[in-house]
Amino acid sequence: MAVTKYLEEDLYKDFKTEYQDDAEFIELEDDDIEEPRTFNSISNDDDILQMYLKDIGKVKLLNSKEEKALGRQIKEGKKSQAELGLTEMGCEVVDIGQCGTEMIYFATAHLGLDGGIMITASHNPKEYNGLKLVRKEARPISGDTGLKDIEAKVMAGELGTPAEVPAKVIEVDIMKDYIDHLLTYVDMSALKPLKIVVNSGNGAAGPAIDELEKRLPFNFIKVNNNPDGTFPNGVPNPLLMENREATAKVVREEKADLGVAFDGDFDRCFIFDENGDMIEGYYIVGFLAKAFLNKNPGAKIIYDPRLTWNTIELVEEAGGVPVMCKSGHAFIKDCMRKEDAVYGGEMSAHNYFKDFSFCDSGMITWLLVAELLCQAEGKMSEMLKERMERYPISGEINSTVADAKAVMAAIEEKYGSTGEVCKMDGFSVDYPEWRFNVRISNTEPVVRLNVETRGDKKLLEEKTAEVLAVIRG
């Protein structure tokens, strides 16, 4: 099996995370107002946010007369504070207004800016806020590429002085250019009038969906489409079981062809088939990989170690090169650039595209799925049924434990000499008919388990229970 593997240092062990330990933003919490200004402990209060953005503007990494794109998910009150904190230190701001995180990625690269800041807490509750930071070409600012440097300078008080004349703020509407770019990923002539339920979760996706609606032949049934930072219909996290039914119910009632649900800042989307069943992100990776390889023969495809067999098989059958990379957006993006991969996907529903500055996009993902559905002339459930039966999975199972390191040691002792071991991301073991991956959460005493088999659902249940017994004692 010709599988390339890629690994770097664990950049994120000290940081809170957006989704299953993929550190993407700095959290800001109301309860932390009285705590020291560390990256793990920053207030949601406007004054503290302004002060923090001033600190970011003062350090050399984000200083000088560079231009930064600035966007926000919903919360209007943060705009003036962010602009003031940056411009006071001489950093020119290109304000693109309310947007999704991927629009910051797009604006930073498309407008040739020096960096970008997205004010968002993604799918987290309304009490939270945070920042996602990128540099030129929308490259992530992560633990080894600036985030820790910023923290060190702020904590050491190594800050500059305000500029004699504050820098300017330029308001730019990038929506048209962004929508134009999204539509380059699909063959418009192949699209058919599908009925699609779209649940924006009262997050930031609604305005983009409204603009796409004008250009596409689809019949949209829009749910929770208006942005509302109070999240009156629940937090925009489609992974929560109680939130899935909001989309699934409408899909069934409307007899829709497809359902799409976004998280708050819409860098991830979750796909529902015509029966209202949510499709695991793992299967979407292989689905899209095959489509990209049809257009890019021999290309490299990035995947993460948690679930692998379906992706590897589809990529190799299509003549591509599967490249394994540690999960987490900064790892994946860096790996894609180094490998010049055309596409990368994680089971967590983050999908990355070479022509989108190697960044993740929820909008591109669902557009590609819809295009494939139009071309297949079948039902969504039928398109993935065979793959789901061929490689059934447990779904990610989280266990709260007293001592996560001790649990990992017990797992390694029991399974470490019995199969093919990989420690790229947690602890994985492959056997002829089944495999599993266990990982420790970076932020809480939780161990995460994923199991898959070669078409044997009974074995899946047995081995899942077996590994869980070790984890839970």
Side-chain angles (χ1 to χ4, degrees):
M1 184 179 295
V3 181
T4 304
K5 296 182 179 179
Y6 180 85
L7 175 65
E8 286 198 2
E9 295 293 328
D10 185 355
L11 307 182
Y12 307 118
K13 61 184 179 181
D14 298 326
F15 294 94
K16 287 220 171 186
T17 57
E18 178 204 348
Y19 172 72
Q20 295 184 353
D21 311 319
D22 297 343
E24 288 192 304
F25 68 89
I26 304 165
E27 281 188 16
L28 309 175
E29 269 187 86
D30 280 339
D31 293 340
D32 293 323
I33 292 176
E34 300 302 324
E35 297 295 321
R37 283 185 289 134
T38 68
F39 275 86
N40 286 338
S41 168
I42 307 167
S43 168
N44 190 24
D45 178 82
D46 284 353
D47 293 336
I48 301 298
L49 177 57
Q50 176 186 331
M51 177 175 62
Y52 197 72
L53 283 164
K54 285 182 183 179
D55 286 348
I56 289 179
K58 290 175 185 176
V59 300
K60 183 177 181 181
L61 184 67
L62 293 176
N63 199 12
S64 78
K65 296 181 179 179
E66 296 178 346
E67 289 184 313
K68 302 288 182 292
L70 176 66
R72 62 195 180 281
Q73 180 174 314
I74 300 170
K75 300 181 180 181
E76 294 288 339
K78 309 308 176 201
K79 171 186 172 183
S80 61
Q81 305 301 329
E83 289 179 351
L84 180 60
L86 292 168
T87 57
E88 182 178 307
M89 302 310 300
C91 180
E92 294 184 350
V93 173
V94 177
D95 182 6
I96 66 171
Q98 182 181 298
C99 63
T101 294
E102 64 185 66
M103 294 177 72
I104 279 289
Y105 298 155
F106 174 76
T108 302
H110 182 65
L111 300 176
L113 303 179
D114 299 293
I117 299 176
M118 176 68 182
I119 303 175
T120 176
S122 187
H123 58 266
N124 284 282
K126 62 184 179 180
E127 292 80 14
Y128 288 75
N129 211 340
L131 309 172
K132 293 184 179 181
L133 312 175
V134 296
R135 58 177 72 246
K136 288 183 178 181
E137 300 176 329
R139 294 173 182 258
I141 296 178
S142 58
D144 71 337
T145 58
L147 203 57
K148 291 183 179 179
D149 295 334
I150 295 173
E151 179 183 29
K153 289 178 180 293
V154 170
M155 299 307 295
E158 297 176 5
L159 309 174
T161 57
E164 293 184 6
V165 178
K168 61 184 178 181
V169 175
I170 304 171
E171 294 187 356
V172 175
D173 184 355
I174 65 160
M175 182 65 80
K176 182 182 182 304
D177 288 351
Y178 166 68
I179 296 297
D180 287 345
H181 182 79
L182 292 181
L183 296 179
T184 64
Y185 291 85
V186 295
D187 178 1
M188 295 291 287
S189 66
L191 302 184
K192 299 177 180 179
L194 298 178
K195 181 182 286 188
I196 302 177
V197 172
V198 180
N199 187 347
S200 298
N202 297 119
I209 290 296
D210 291 342
E211 292 301 315
L212 283 167
E213 185 177 30
K214 300 173 185 177
R215 307 274 295 274
L216 295 169
F218 304 141
N219 175 19
F220 287 109
I221 297 95
K222 292 182 279 191
V223 179
N224 302 328
N225 196 62
N226 296 327
D228 186 340
T230 67
F231 300 136
N233 299 293
V235 295
N237 183 0
L239 282 176
L240 298 178
M241 292 301 297
E242 60 268 27
N243 288 353
R244 296 184 189 185
E245 186 60 18
T247 304
K249 181 174 182 290
V250 181
V251 169
R252 294 191 295 266
E253 290 177 347
E254 295 288 341
K255 294 180 170 55
D257 300 294
L258 185 70
V260 182
F262 293 99
D263 66 359
D265 61 336
F266 71 84
D267 57 355
R268 291 183 300 157
C269 75
F270 299 83
I271 304 298
F272 293 73
D273 67 19
E274 75 282 357
N275 300 314
D277 295 325
M278 195 179 89
I279 299 170
E280 291 282 350
Y282 172 46
Y283 299 110
I284 297 297
V285 175
F287 190 53
L288 294 184
K290 185 176 179 180
F292 272 100
L293 288 168
N294 288 337
K295 300 177 182 179
N296 303 271
K300 294 180 179 180
I301 303 294
I302 307 299
Y303 67 100
D304 76 88
R306 289 169 287 183
L307 296 168
T308 66
W309 281 346
N310 182 64
T311 304
I312 292 171
E313 183 173 277
L314 286 173
V315 170
E316 291 183 337
E317 286 180 351
V321 180
V323 180
M324 183 187 289
C325 176
K326 182 178 174 68
S327 60
H329 80 116
F331 293 111
I332 299 288
K333 291 169 183 175
D334 188 41
C335 182
M336 286 186 69
R337 288 180 184 275
K338 290 182 177 179
E339 298 287 347
D340 195 32
V342 68
Y343 164 73
E346 297 181 88
M347 59 156 280
S348 56
H350 283 286
N351 293 280
Y352 306 80
F353 307 95
K354 176 180 178 180
D355 293 336
F356 198 64
S357 302
F358 299 97
C359 291
D360 41 335
S361 166
M363 288 293 173
I364 295 172
T365 298
W366 83 261
L367 283 169
L368 289 170
V369 170
E371 178 190 37
L372 292 170
L373 181 57
C374 290
Q375 294 171 338
E377 297 184 350
K379 295 183 178 180
M380 190 71 218
S381 61
E382 296 170 350
M383 295 174 68
L384 290 170
K385 181 180 179 181
E386 188 272 334
R387 302 311 306 181
M388 295 167 72
E389 291 179 347
R390 186 171 178 81
Y391 293 107
I393 61 175
S394 63
E396 186 152 273
I397 302 172
N398 299 321
S399 301
T400 300
V401 298
D403 188 338
K405 291 184 178 180
V407 168
M408 294 296 286
I411 291 287
E412 186 166 353
E413 181 179 1
K414 181 175 177 62
Y415 297 102
S417 61
T418 61
E420 182 181 345
V421 173
C422 174
K423 296 184 179 181
M424 174 179 285
D425 195 353
F427 184 78
S428 302
V429 185
D430 285 32
Y431 300 95
E433 299 301 321
W434 72 288
R435 70 177 300 278
F436 73 93
N437 170 271
V438 289
R439 302 164 66 234
I440 298 176
S441 168
N442 292 329
T443 60
E444 54 187 336
V446 168
V447 174
R448 311 190 192 281
L449 169 67
N450 284 280
V451 184
E452 62 183 316
T453 68
R454 296 189 187 277
D456 193 331
K457 293 184 179 179
K458 182 179 179 181
L459 180 65
L460 177 67
E461 293 178 2
E462 292 174 352
K463 292 303 180 180
T464 299
E466 176 185 299
V467 180
L468 278 176
V470 180
I471 293 173
R472 296 174 178 177

